[in-house]
Amino acid sequence: MNDKHKHILEAAEQLFAEKGFNGTSVRDIAGAAGVNIAMISYYFGSKENLMIALIDYRSEYTRDILEEMNNNKMLTPWDKIEKLIDLYVDKILNNYRFYRIMTLHLATSQSDEIREKIIEIKAGNFELIKKIILEGQRKNVFRKIDMELTIGTVMGTIAQVTSSRSLYCKLLKIDIKDDDGYRKKMTLKLRTHLKQMLKAHLHIQNT
Amino acid sequence: MNDKHKHILEAAEQLFAEKGFNGTSVRDIAGAAGVNIAMISYYFGSKENLMIALIDYRSEYTRDILEEMNNNKMLTPWDKIEKLIDLYVDKILNNYRFYRIMTLHLATSQSDEIREKIIEIKAGNFELIKKIILEGQRKNVFRKIDMELTIGTVMGTIAQVTSSRSLYCKLLKIDIKDDDGYRKKMTLKLRTHLKQMLKAHLHIQNT
DNA sequence: TTTAATCAATTAAACGTTTGTTTAGTTTAA
DNA sequence: TTAAACTAAACAAACGTTTAATTGATTAAA
């Protein structure tokens, strides 16, 4: 995996996020990366293998950060929830193209191999978050909630903002072409909203 | 728009939801619907027009129900929120194929005309929900929250469950082929979870 | 130092399929 | 008889992939 490999992957990522996997041709990718069409087969074997290489390329580190946070004994469950939200909001909004591709591929049944790979990664992250919430419940600071859907709400809200960007640009009157403006505004809004909501949701009521 | 039109649209809907718009060929659709390939151009003009026809076909009524609920003076804001959740969860999970297509199409920039159509529909629904929340705030039963992201959370959570179905089937140990089982289980879980969460989120704290 | 050999990197061109759409003709029903 | 419904076949264009030839750099022998 040299610089040229990465350069092609990053060009492919942009196109896949914009037009979807099937909407992007190998010629598009080669054109955007400025290489010969045959180089893509030569480097990756096939278009599908290129997609798998892209997932591997982008999936590094997330797990490490989550695991490290999970093992940190200094942080309270509330701290961990706040850190978790910051981590995910930042990570997804800074790699929104890649996450859009993951969502698109998970929704459609194009390639079993790719889908299994994505599910494996997501399920792993899911378990780590579950541990944080369970710890909070054991320490009696979180109430009983629907575990899967609570995590689904966090993921889903962030995914909504990245996958329906054109809708939110219209609603919030942000220029659709202003990538940076959208990301900055949404990062702030998402962090505040999710923390406020999860605080209310997880807090033990005294009613 | 006769029965044969509808039959083709429903075959297309299934395939688009499974394989995406670009992943589905006109021959696939014709084959699934049991009609000659040329009939699709004859009926709809083009593949893109077929998609637009599908959106029109499935977008009826939602607005009407929302508007009727909004104008109902007997319901409290809390009642409306509960009704809203029931309506959306049922509607989306019973038409999950169609909603997956909408999400896929909104995320990618394949056709401006189609995307604009979807944005228009979604933005309209957005405004109606906004009115419900604003009414609750005016009556001092809802607290101040991030309007766009609160609605985004409701939509996003439901969308998450439909677009990442294969992930949730693995997590909840539901057979991936058991369409009905998944829908019934998720309808219940979603209704409970969203009501519980929104109640905590919108409730006026006395801290 | 020059020459020859070697091998990966790169290319243009072509491969056979599949794509969405159209044509030209046939069937059906009023 | 006429117009709409329907079909098999063909269309050019685009698809992912492969081929065969060429380049460029590295190594070994003369």
Side-chain angles (χ1 to χ4, degrees), chain A residues 35-127:
Chain A
V35 300
N36 190 280
I37 319 165
M39 290 307 294
I40 280 153
S41 292
Y42 180 70
Y43 274 170
F44 300 100
S46 69
K47 189 187 175 188
E48 185 169 315
N49 281 348
L50 183 148
M51 178 69 193
I52 293 173
L54 175 59
I55 293 175
D56 287 334
Y57 176 50
R58 286 291 188 214
S59 294
E60 296 168 10
Y61 297 123
T62 319
R63 254 192 95 83
D64 296 344
I65 299 175
L66 265 181
E67 258 171 1
E68 187 244 304
M69 189 168 67
N70 225 332
N71 295 329
N72 190 330
K73 306 285 178 194
M74 303 295 292
L75 299 171
T76 69
W78 285 118
D79 289 339
K80 286 186 181 177
I81 290 289
E82 294 220 339
K83 269 208 156 191
L84 180 77
I85 290 170
D86 287 343
L87 170 71
Y88 263 92
V89 169
D90 279 16
K91 187 164 170 51
I92 297 183
L93 264 75
N94 281 313
N95 293 282
Y96 71 96
R97 288 198 189 89
F98 175 64
Y99 277 88
R100 202 185 288 177
I101 296 168
M102 296 259 281
T103 308
L104 289 175
H105 236 94
L106 199 54
T108 56
S109 57
Q110 303 171 24
S111 153
D112 285 347
E113 193 184 347
I114 294 176
R115 202 178 58 250
E116 285 302 320
K117 205 169 183 63
I118 296 174
I119 288 179
E120 190 197 316
I121 293 168
K122 292 221 171 195
N125 291 343
F126 227 96
E127 282 308 311

Side-chain angles (χ1 to χ4, degrees), chain A:
Chain A
M1 176 79 77
N2 58 32
D3 283 355
K4 214 151 200 172
H5 281 90
K6 291 178 185 171
H7 181 232
I8 293 174
L9 286 181
E10 280 157 18
E13 178 179 51
Q14 174 137 352
L15 289 167
F16 285 161
E18 273 171 25
K19 304 152 169 278
F21 182 75
N22 286 311
T24 306
S25 72
V26 177
R27 279 169 183 79
D28 289 340
I29 299 170
V35 300
N36 190 280
I37 319 165
M39 290 307 294
I40 280 153
S41 292
Y42 180 70
Y43 274 170
F44 300 100
S46 69
K47 189 187 175 188
E48 185 169 315
N49 281 348
L50 183 148
M51 178 69 193
I52 293 173
L54 175 59
I55 293 175
D56 287 334
Y57 176 50
R58 286 291 188 214
S59 294
E60 296 168 10
Y61 297 123
T62 319
R63 254 192 95 83
D64 296 344
I65 299 175
L66 265 181
E67 258 171 1
E68 187 244 304
M69 189 168 67
N70 225 332
N71 295 329
N72 190 330
K73 306 285 178 194
M74 303 295 292
L75 299 171
T76 69
W78 285 118
D79 289 339
K80 286 186 181 177
I81 290 289
E82 294 220 339
K83 269 208 156 191
L84 180 77
I85 290 170
D86 287 343
L87 170 71
Y88 263 92
V89 169
D90 279 16
K91 187 164 170 51
I92 297 183
L93 264 75
N94 281 313
N95 293 282
Y96 71 96
R97 288 198 189 89
F98 175 64
Y99 277 88
R100 202 185 288 177
I101 296 168
M102 296 259 281
T103 308
L104 289 175
H105 236 94
L106 199 54
T108 56
S109 57
Q110 303 171 24
S111 153
D112 285 347
E113 193 184 347
I114 294 176
R115 202 178 58 250
E116 285 302 320
K117 205 169 183 63
I118 296 174
I119 288 179
E120 190 197 316
I121 293 168
K122 292 221 171 195
N125 291 343
F126 227 96
E127 282 308 311
L128 290 171
I129 301 174
K130 201 170 172 178
K131 273 188 189 165
I132 296 177
I133 299 180
L134 283 174
E135 189 202 346
Q137 291 176 332
R138 212 179 45 245
K139 288 184 177 172
N140 246 37
V141 290
F142 292 170
R143 67 166 166 164
K144 198 168 163 289
I145 42 89
D146 187 315
M147 190 69 71
E148 286 80 20
L149 288 188
T150 298
I151 303 175
T153 288
V154 177
M155 304 296 197
T157 304
I158 306 179
Q160 179 80 350
V161 163
T162 62
S163 72
S164 300
R165 207 191 111 179
S166 42
L167 172 62
Y168 286 94
C169 278
K170 189 196 171 101
L171 290 173
L172 298 173
K173 297 180 178 64
I174 301 173
D175 181 16
I176 186 101
K177 277 166 281 174
D178 184 8
D179 255 44
D180 244 45
Y182 184 76
R183 200 175 60 240
K184 278 179 185 157
K185 184 153 194 172
M186 267 305 174
T187 302
L188 221 84
K189 273 174 80 80
L190 269 173
R191 282 179 173 202
T192 311
H193 166 72
L194 285 174
K195 285 175 189 172
Q196 180 187 358
M197 196 175 60
L198 275 194
K199 216 163 267 178
H201 180 52
L202 289 171
H203 195 272
I204 293 178
Q205 259 87 3
N206 26 341
T207 43

